[in-house]
């Protein structure tokens, strides 16, 4: 059973960060998608973009609010507003 | 909020077809698949195409369609299910292309069949409005990532609070 969260980044955000994925082992204080978003953006530099008001979050391939719970084994994705269609 | 004027039809024998693919699609083929049998009195289709880019891009007009593979079909399925809950529709087909595209290319197809036209028109518009705001695709025109439009999120919001509320949108809480 995995004790880490898979984080994915897409589109312009991934380009800004220079990465598309990472494996993150959460501290116990990270309980929600918003908590994770804050921790990542506090790394500083380009990572602050993850905390932007524009950034959307999906947990296990479903769009969600910052209050959505996250736990080890989850896949969390951060991305800009979608522009398909 | 608009509700169907007749009770939902039985679930038997309705099809949902979703494809996310690099290659082009045939409108004729997709229409033929929707316009079968004798229950569907109405078939509505929408095709989205690549227009000329707003900003001049060096090296020609090449669009890149990025996507989140594990999430696209799941999201499109969810949107279609929500359309099925609201309208008495029969078959639904959605095809979305990914990868490299150019102005004049087809990007997306939405087709809906139903007994009568009102449901097919409404459901196809609903599906496109939520595809535009929820389906994880991102367009890049040359070196420039296209911005999401406020008019698209407004169109989705105008259908009423049937969508997943987004993390940064207090208006939908």
């Amino acid at each position: 059973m995995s004790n880490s969260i898979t984080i994915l980044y897409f589109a312009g955000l991934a380009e800004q960060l220079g990465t598309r994925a990472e494996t993150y082992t959460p501290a116990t204080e990270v309980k929600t998608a918003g908590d994770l978003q804050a921790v990542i953006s506090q790394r500083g530099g380009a990572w602050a973009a993850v905390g932007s008001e524009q950034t959307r979050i999906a947990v296990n391939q479903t769009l969600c609010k910052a209050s959505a719970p996250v736990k080890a084994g989850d896949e969390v994705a951060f991305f800009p507003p979608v522009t398909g269609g | 909020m608009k509700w169907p004027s007749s009770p939902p039809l039985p679930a038997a024998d309705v099809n949902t077809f979703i494809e996310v693919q690099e290659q082009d699609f045939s409108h004729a083929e997709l229409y033929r698949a929707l316009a079968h049998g004798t229950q569907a009195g109405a078939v509505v289709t929408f095709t989205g195409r690549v227009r000329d880019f707003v900003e001049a891009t060096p090296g020609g007009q090449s669009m890149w369609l990025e996507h989140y593979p594990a999430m696209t079909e799941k999201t499109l399925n969810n949107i279609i299910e929500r359309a099925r809950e609201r309208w008495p529709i029969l078959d639904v087909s959605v095809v979305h292309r990914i990868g490299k595209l150019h102005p004049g290319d087809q990007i997306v197809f939405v087709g809906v069949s139903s007994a009568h036209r009102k449901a097919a028109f409404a459901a196809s518009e609903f599906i496109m409005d939520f595809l535009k705001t929820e389906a994880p695709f991102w367009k890049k025109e040359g070196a420039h990532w296209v911005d999401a439009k406020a008019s698209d999120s407004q169109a989705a919001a105008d259908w009423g609070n049937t969508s997943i509320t987004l993390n940064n949108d207090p208006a939908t809480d």
Side-chain angles (χ1 to χ4, degrees):
Chain A
M1 182 67 189
S2 170
N3 65 344
S4 58
I5 292 174
T6 303
I7 306 178
L8 303 178
Y9 305 98
F10 289 93
L13 181 60
E15 273 183 8
Q16 269 184 283
L17 302 176
T19 183
R20 306 189 64 81
E22 63 173 281
T23 305
Y24 177 81
T25 305
T28 46
E29 315 88 70
V30 172
K31 293 192 170 12
T32 68
D35 291 341
L36 183 61
Q37 186 180 22
V39 164
I40 301 289
S41 62
Q42 276 153 28
R43 289 174 178 171
W47 295 100
V50 174
S52 150
E53 229 174 53
Q54 287 300 299
T55 299
R56 301 288 184 249
I57 311 175
V59 175
N60 298 328
Q61 303 93 38
T62 303
L63 273 173
C64 67
K65 298 162 78 162
S67 55
V70 296
K71 61 186 187 308
D74 282 346
E75 179 174 284
V76 180
F78 296 105
F79 42 82
V82 301
T83 55
Chain B
M1 207 164 12
K2 260 191 131 177
W3 293 106
S5 56
S6 53
L9 293 163
D13 209 28
V14 292
N15 301 303
T16 295
F17 176 77
I18 296 168
E19 204 66 62
V20 176
Q21 61 189 47
E22 281 187 30
Q23 66 268 41
D24 199 3
F25 53 80
S26 159
H27 183 280
E29 212 171 271
L30 291 167
Y31 170 78
R32 236 188 335 264
L34 287 163
H36 75 95
T38 50
Q39 274 197 78
V43 181
V44 172
T45 72
F46 169 79
T47 304
R49 305 172 65 247
V50 182
R51 286 175 293 119
D52 282 328
F53 299 167
V54 172
E55 297 184 19
T57 53
Q61 299 203 323
S62 171
M63 170 181 281
W64 179 256
L65 230 316
E66 182 173 325
H67 75 301
Y68 180 177
M71 189 175 164
T72 46
E73 199 167 315
K74 187 170 177 170
T75 304
L76 293 171
N77 235 310
N78 175 264
I79 294 168
I80 293 167
E81 281 311 302
R82 280 144 57 197
R84 289 194 180 286
E85 281 168 17
R86 284 181 83 143
W87 292 282
I89 54 181
L90 297 169
D91 294 348
V92 179
S93 297
V94 175
V95 179
H96 200 297
R97 292 179 68 191
I98 51 172
K100 197 171 189 183
L101 296 174
H102 299 93
D105 285 350
Q106 301 187 126
I107 301 176
V108 64
F109 174 92
V110 171
V112 177
S113 71
S114 60
H116 305 287
R117 69 187 186 285
K118 213 159 187 178
F121 274 122
S124 49
E125 189 169 11
F126 176 95
I127 290 167
M128 265 311 296
D129 286 349
F130 284 101
L131 183 157
K132 296 285 281 183
T133 53
E134 295 181 4
F137 298 97
W138 299 271
K139 288 174 184 161
K140 193 179 189 189
E141 293 177 354
H144 164 73
W145 288 100
V146 171
D147 289 319
K149 295 197 295 203
S151 55
D152 286 333
S153 36
Q154 187 60 57
D158 286 348
W159 287 104
N161 191 16
T162 57
S163 69
I164 302 155
T165 54
L166 299 177
N167 46 302
N168 297 323
D169 194 348
T172 60
D173 276 359

